[in-house]
Amino acid sequence: MMTGEQKQQIIVLRRDGAGYGRIAARLQISINTVKSFCRRHGLVAKSADSVCEQCGKPIEQNPGRKRKRFCCDACRNKWWNAHLELVKRKAIYTFTCPACGKEFRVYDNSHRKFCSHACYIAYRFGGVRHG
């Protein structure tokens, strides 16, 4: 159980920018006790150094939530389109088109049969295309 004096010291130290570990060591109490007290009393650190990874605008972070990386959807889409190599694609399938015989790869569609709409039309309504 924490004393009223320890609670006041936590408030003062936290507002001065001390971390949970430093406060716990200084007051000789559990770090989890310090964390719980700080969260219950709104003494979580606010990160003012967050900026959008695309445009550099400052981003206001919401305490207790996942860290925001982008200021808006447009910046998020622009950044990910410029960094496609960082996308973790797990569902990539390889097929052979029955119309042209070309091998093609698709992401997240295990039922696809044709490499293009033109091949589908040619196979379904016209003769078989040979690419």
Side-chain angles (χ1 to χ4, degrees):
M1 203 66 173
M2 282 192 302
T3 65
E5 186 179 318
Q6 286 176 320
K7 292 176 183 180
Q8 289 303 316
Q9 286 179 318
I10 291 173
I11 293 169
V12 170
L13 290 169
R14 192 68 179 148
R15 289 203 174 131
D16 288 343
Y20 300 134
R22 191 171 357 145
I23 294 171
R26 186 162 176 186
L27 301 179
Q28 296 180 345
I29 55 178
S30 165
I31 189 170
N32 290 325
T33 303
V34 175
K35 283 181 187 178
S36 297
F37 178 83
C38 290
R39 288 184 184 144
R40 261 188 254 118
H41 292 87
L43 299 172
V44 290
K46 295 192 174 26
S47 58
D49 300 336
S50 297
V51 293
C52 177
E53 292 186 28
Q54 176 63 29
C55 68
K57 284 184 189 173
I59 301 173
E60 187 176 322
Q61 299 292 340
N62 296 323
R65 293 234 176 144
K66 182 178 168 185
R67 185 182 78 85
K68 291 181 187 178
R69 294 176 58 187
F70 307 101
C71 63
C72 61
D73 285 340
C75 281
R76 179 178 54 82
N77 288 329
K78 198 180 290 186
W79 191 89
W80 280 110
N81 284 331
H83 297 87
L84 289 173
E85 72 281 359
L86 299 176
V87 177
K88 294 178 183 140
R89 296 183 189 265
K90 295 177 184 170
I92 297 178
Y93 302 97
T94 304
F95 299 107
T96 302
C97 179
C100 67
K102 183 173 82 173
E103 192 172 271
F104 64 98
R105 296 168 50 133
V106 279
Y107 174 69
D108 201 27
N109 185 351
S110 62
H111 304 293
R112 187 151 170 194
K113 294 182 178 133
F114 299 94
C115 65
S116 67
H117 184 69
C119 279
Y120 163 73
I121 295 297
Y123 188 85
R124 178 88 163 87
F125 300 109
V128 175
R129 275 180 60 153
H130 298 287

